[in-house]
Amino acid sequence: MTQVLVAYGTSRGGTQGLAELIGHDLRDHGYDTIVRPAAEVADLGDADAVIVAGALYAGRWHKDARRLVKRQADRLSALPVWLVATGPLDGTAQEGNLAPVPHVKDAAARIGARGVQTFGGRLEPDAAGFPASAMAKKMAGDWRDTEHVARWVDEVDGELGATLR
């Protein structure tokens, strides 16, 4: 069975929830899927494909996602890989493909990623710390769209099916 690793970098848990949703949808497509924090991924094990998801904070991709791509660049370059960013606190991610932020664009080029996708983010109304607490006063909410994620996973499945199965 094809094994897909979904690794994520998150500070407030929203990207973890999105990674788990991606993992669930991949399992529904018949993949053996492992979802883990990017900081805990010492090696890629038996992964046949990888999705690296990271939250966006002030236009920067989460450090754990960036560091995973950097330390595993050689192995990732040899696998089908997709990079995911989460963060827009509005409906723009659902309206169409957003251009990747520089960190994600650079990481994708470094490893030859098959694709880059940005999904809406989540910010709790009681978010602690500055600037999150200030942003939460005006922008709290959940813009992670399960149907958008499911459509994207269908696309990934189509590419993996043609390549690995």
Side-chain angles (χ1 to χ4, degrees):
M1 180 181 289
T2 301
Q3 186 179 91
V4 181
L5 170 65
V6 181
Y8 61 88
T10 189
S11 295
R12 301 184 181 281
T15 304
Q16 176 182 355
L18 184 81
E20 290 168 352
L21 178 61
I22 291 168
H24 179 268
D25 286 354
L26 286 166
R27 283 184 202 98
D28 285 349
H29 282 282
Y31 296 97
D32 175 21
T33 306
I34 299 167
V35 179
R36 295 191 52 208
E40 294 178 9
V41 177
D43 66 67
L44 303 181
D46 293 330
D48 298 301
V50 178
I51 296 171
V52 180
L56 295 173
Y57 298 102
R60 296 175 59 94
W61 202 35
H62 195 280
K63 66 182 178 357
D64 292 344
R66 292 192 323 259
R67 289 174 180 164
L68 173 61
V69 170
K70 185 175 181 178
R71 74 177 173 266
Q72 294 292 330
D74 288 343
R75 179 87 196 286
L76 290 169
S77 295
L79 295 171
V81 177
W82 289 263
L83 304 181
V84 171
T86 64
L89 299 175
D90 57 25
T92 56
Q94 295 146 354
E95 295 169 5
N97 275 342
L98 296 175
V101 299
H103 284 140
V104 177
K105 184 177 180 180
D106 293 347
R110 179 181 305 128
I111 62 171
R114 297 273 179 107
V116 173
Q117 180 65 50
T118 301
F119 292 110
R122 181 196 78 185
L123 183 62
E124 295 293 332
D126 60 351
F130 184 81
S133 61
M135 289 175 58
K137 291 176 184 171
K138 295 181 181 180
M139 304 173 79
D142 191 343
W143 287 270
R144 298 171 300 175
D145 180 342
T146 58
E147 291 179 13
H148 186 199
V149 172
R151 287 190 306 271
W152 180 77
V153 169
D154 288 345
E155 292 174 19
V156 169
D157 175 52
E159 285 195 47
L160 282 176
T163 305
L164 298 176
R165 287 191 184 158

